[in-house]
Amino acid sequence: MQDSPVRLLLVEDNPMHRKLIQKLLGEDSQLRCEVEAVDNLADGLTRLVKGGVDLVLLDLVLPDSEELETLFRVRLVAPQVPVVVLTSLDDVKLAARAVESGAYDYLVKSHLKSVSLGRAIRYTLSRARARGGEWDSPMFRLAQQQFLKAAQYMGLDDNLRQRLLFPQRTQMVSFPFFRDDRAQVETVFGYRVQHLLSMGPTKGGIRYHEDVDLGEVAALAMWMTWKCALMKLPFGGAKGGVRVDPTTLSDRELQRLTRRYTTEIIDIIGPDKDIPAPDLGTDERVMAWLMDTYSQQVGHTVPAVVTGKPVVLGGSLGRKEATGRGLVYLIEASARHLGLQLSGATAVVQGFGNVGSHAARFLAERGVKIIGVGDASTALHDEAGLSVEALTAYADEHRRLHGFPAPEIVDHDELLELDCDILVLAALQNQVTVENAARLECRLLAEGANGPTTLEADDILQERGIFVLPDILGNAGGVTVSYFEWVQGMQNLMWSLDEIHERLQAILLDAFQRTLTRAEAQHLDMRTAALIEGISRVTEAKLMRGIFP
């Protein structure tokens, strides 16, 4: 579901119509919104001037304005805020002129249903984002700022600096898929971004989330480039995504969406081109559908086109838990460096999806007491320790932690500020910021998520002596075992689980030691040191290959 509600301004003078529209909005399970209603245009314009409105639902005939004049005045005051017209005027010519004048949709009240209203709002917001600054995302700005900071320390040649700031290849698509009732056709936006093509095939996950945009996918692709280079894997970074809430889709709808998305990007993926994998909102089933769709198109089975697929289809043992397991290998190494004894230590885990749940389990196996856990639905605290086994069983049954019996429920901000030895960030980006970094009470901050800490927060954490295990190192276990899976697929062989664990640990600890050595030698924070390790390898490859022609 959406992390924050859509803020709607309803400008409608008929009280019955206001109630009807609000009732229809409440019936749409895919839409969470806050509705503020006014009954005249003057009050509507005043509210728009204050800002903070995502979309306007606008009646054209109001006590103080009529027809297109109403739309013109709204557009004049707030040209960037999308407008959906809701009117009693069933006039095709007027509808055409309204859309021509900047309205995103034109709905007649007498024909209004919950499905059509909710869909119009979702499409409008998607189109507005696509028309607006798709690149201008906080995540992409963070990725670029981190790169530029590392480049400054490196003295990176300006030609390479400019070249690596943006992806080499970007594909943005929009496509339809049928809902189960076959009466609805949804249109969604999809992306595949390949940041670097110089190091071999590109590699990166596919996420399904309602907040996916081009900037977010580009940031993740950039981080994947540095991650692969840091691990010395023969890949460039890539990422893909579809802007959709997968929790609102049935299994059949999810499969149709995946197969159609695959056909849209099929020309740029392949085992020697670009290899997708699971990410937020996707799993091994989605990878199986993607592999099957690709294989049907080329006429033979191609297991190596994706990683993270079921073992029976050529997936690798240990892939599902690889990111969480790898994070704990690195937490062990960090603890040794800090002189922290894991047995008896305390940990808080933010995020209880694939990464967070496995990290919590592996930490508990090493004697760490998990005193706090949270997901999007709730945050739990127990100073005596929470049972990871019970948490996992509950989450598997209910798909979230809300309702789990715990001694104390805390808010999400409090969870991060609990006194603990280890804080694991395994949720979303921008969790530790300049606002809360000074209140963290951990010795070790381990990043299993992508981009969870801002640059300003990094400075505060370093000043406070909190050891940060950065994301491009901390969550690299997933792509490393994906590399193992790709190798096994290309060679038609299978490695044992012990072999995979041994190889994974060796690669991660080598990267950790190189990063730590650089950080200490050059008096850098661990994130900048890890970035320089990755960027240096990419720079060497770029210079060796030269420029064509």
Side-chain angles (χ1 to χ4, degrees):
M1 297 299 291
Q2 295 159 197
D3 293 330
S4 57
V6 177
R7 296 163 297 182
L8 301 180
L9 176 62
L10 173 60
V11 186
E12 169 62 69
D13 63 322
N14 186 316
M16 291 185 64
H17 288 166
R18 284 202 301 273
K19 289 182 180 178
L20 171 64
I21 292 164
Q22 289 176 313
K23 177 177 179 292
L24 294 176
L25 289 171
E27 292 173 353
D28 191 328
S29 62
Q30 299 181 59
L31 191 66
R32 189 159 66 93
C33 55
E34 293 177 353
V35 183
E36 187 174 346
V38 297
D39 59 10
N40 62 79
L41 184 60
D43 287 347
L45 297 179
T46 300
R47 176 63 188 85
L48 283 170
V49 168
K50 293 179 182 178
V53 174
D54 295 319
L55 184 144
V56 178
L57 298 175
L58 181 67
D59 185 10
L60 290 183
V61 180
L62 297 165
D64 51 349
S65 184
E66 290 193 359
E67 298 192 2
L68 288 182
E69 178 68 20
T70 308
L71 176 61
F72 293 152
R73 291 169 68 185
V74 168
R75 297 281 294 154
L76 184 65
V77 168
Q80 301 304 318
V81 179
V83 177
V84 172
V85 170
L86 294 177
T87 181
S88 300
L89 302 173
D90 192 357
D91 183 332
V92 174
K93 290 184 178 179
L94 179 61
R97 289 171 60 202
V99 172
E100 185 180 50
S101 301
Y104 275 68
D105 211 337
Y106 186 100
L107 303 179
V108 180
K109 294 175 190 175
S110 59
H111 302 160
L112 207 56
K113 295 181 180 179
S114 175
V115 170
S116 58
L117 178 58
R119 187 164 53 184
I121 291 171
R122 293 195 303 276
Y123 286 2
T124 293
L125 292 171
S126 290
R127 288 170 55 203
R129 182 180 292 180
R131 286 186 178 183
E134 277 275 7
W135 288 107
D136 188 24
S137 95
M139 216 165 166
F140 192 44
R141 287 198 298 272
L142 174 61
Q144 289 185 317
Q145 287 171 329
Q146 290 175 351
F147 165 69
L148 290 171
K149 177 182 176 180
Q152 192 68 37
Y153 277 110
M154 294 171 65
L156 186 65
D157 180 88
D158 193 53
N159 292 317
L160 282 166
R161 185 186 319 221
Q162 298 303 321
R163 180 66 194 86
L164 294 171
L165 265 175
F166 285 91
Q168 286 188 239
R169 183 180 292 157
T170 300
Q171 185 168 359
M172 178 176 172
V173 298
S174 64
F175 59 92
F177 71 98
F178 270 114
R179 286 288 188 169
D180 283 342
D181 59 11
R182 291 282 166 170
Q184 294 184 63
V185 176
E186 294 276 357
T187 297
V188 294
F189 286 88
Y191 309 87
R192 189 67 186 172
V193 172
Q194 298 165 352
H195 177 254
L196 183 76
L197 304 177
S198 306
M199 310 291 285
T202 50
K203 186 83 188 72
I206 292 173
R207 63 173 47 186
Y208 292 170
H209 193 272
E210 63 273 11
D211 289 333
V212 164
D213 59 26
L214 183 58
E216 176 180 304
V217 176
L220 293 165
M222 179 184 280
W223 283 325
M224 185 60 81
T225 289
W226 315 140
K227 192 182 305 182
C228 291
L230 176 60
M231 297 299 123
K232 298 184 177 180
L233 305 180
F235 295 137
K239 208 73 177 184
V242 178
R243 190 183 305 152
V244 68
D245 182 356
T247 65
T248 66
L249 304 178
S250 70
D251 287 349
R252 292 186 298 273
E253 289 167 343
L254 192 64
Q255 183 172 172
R256 286 194 291 271
L257 171 82
T258 299
R259 291 184 182 278
R260 182 56 188 259
Y261 170 65
T262 305
T263 63
E264 296 290 338
I265 64 168
I266 200 164
D267 289 339
I268 64 169
I269 63 173
D272 54 356
K273 293 181 183 179
D274 180 12
I275 307 124
D279 197 83
L280 186 68
T282 60
D283 56 19
E284 62 179 18
R285 285 189 317 161
V286 172
M287 294 304 105
W289 295 330
L290 197 156
M291 185 201 88
D292 181 71
T293 306
Y294 181 89
S295 299
Q296 293 291 336
Q297 294 294 317
V298 301
H300 58 93
T301 300
V302 188
V305 68
V306 295
T307 59
K309 56 190 172 292
V311 173
V312 72
L313 295 177
S316 176
L317 298 170
R319 173 59 184 89
K320 186 174 183 180
E321 67 271 20
T323 307
R325 182 181 292 279
L327 182 61
V328 173
Y329 285 155
L330 292 163
I331 289 173
E332 285 184 300
S334 302
R336 284 193 295 271
H337 169 68
L338 296 172
L340 172 64
Q341 181 67 39
L342 282 187
S343 181
T346 57
V348 170
V349 180
Q350 184 208 36
F352 206 71
N354 180 51
V355 178
S357 62
H358 282 111
R361 176 164 71 89
F362 295 134
L363 284 172
E365 289 175 358
R366 285 156 174 79
V368 177
K369 183 166 62 174
I370 309 300
I371 63 168
V373 168
D375 65 3
S377 68
T378 191
L380 313 172
H381 176 224
D382 185 353
E383 200 61 38
L386 293 157
S387 166
V388 176
E389 185 178 344
L391 287 164
T392 302
Y394 188 91
D396 287 345
E397 180 180 353
H398 300 278
R399 299 182 65 180
R400 59 180 187 166
L401 293 177
H402 180 73
F404 181 86
E408 185 181 4
I409 309 297
V410 297
D411 65 35
H412 290 87
D413 292 335
E414 286 180 280
L415 180 72
L416 299 184
E417 297 166 16
L418 292 174
D419 189 354
C420 62
D421 295 307
I422 304 161
L423 174 60
V424 175
L425 300 178
L428 294 172
Q429 66 274 11
N430 293 331
Q431 300 301 301
V432 179
T433 66
V434 69
E435 284 79 20
N436 65 356
R439 298 195 296 273
L440 265 57
E441 297 294 338
C442 61
R443 291 184 62 188
L444 168 59
L445 179 66
E447 296 182 346
N450 289 299
T453 307
T454 66
L455 277 177
E456 296 83 2
D458 268 335
D459 293 337
I460 296 171
L461 296 174
Q462 188 176 21
E463 288 173 6
R464 297 186 60 214
I466 294 175
F467 188 85
V468 176
L469 187 60
D471 51 0
I472 67 165
L473 177 58
N475 63 30
V479 71
T480 303
V481 177
S482 276
Y483 165 64
F484 298 163
E485 181 176 335
W486 176 74
V487 169
Q488 292 171 81
M490 296 295 279
Q491 296 184 351
N492 292 310
L493 55 81
M494 292 293 291
W495 296 344
S496 71
L497 191 57
D498 287 341
E499 284 182 286
I500 288 165
H501 290 169
E502 184 180 344
R503 293 170 189 263
L504 172 63
Q505 189 171 31
I507 288 175
L508 291 177
L509 294 186
D510 174 66
F512 175 83
Q513 194 56 53
R514 284 186 282 111
T515 301
L516 182 62
T517 299
R518 183 182 289 273
E520 292 180 332
Q522 299 182 14
H523 306 291
L524 299 169
D525 60 273
M526 285 288 284
R527 188 184 316 282
T528 304
L531 285 167
I532 291 175
E533 279 290 311
I535 295 167
S536 296
R537 187 172 175 84
V538 170
T539 298
E540 183 181 358
K542 283 280 188 187
L543 293 174
M544 292 294 289
R545 288 191 61 161
I547 297 176
F548 176 86

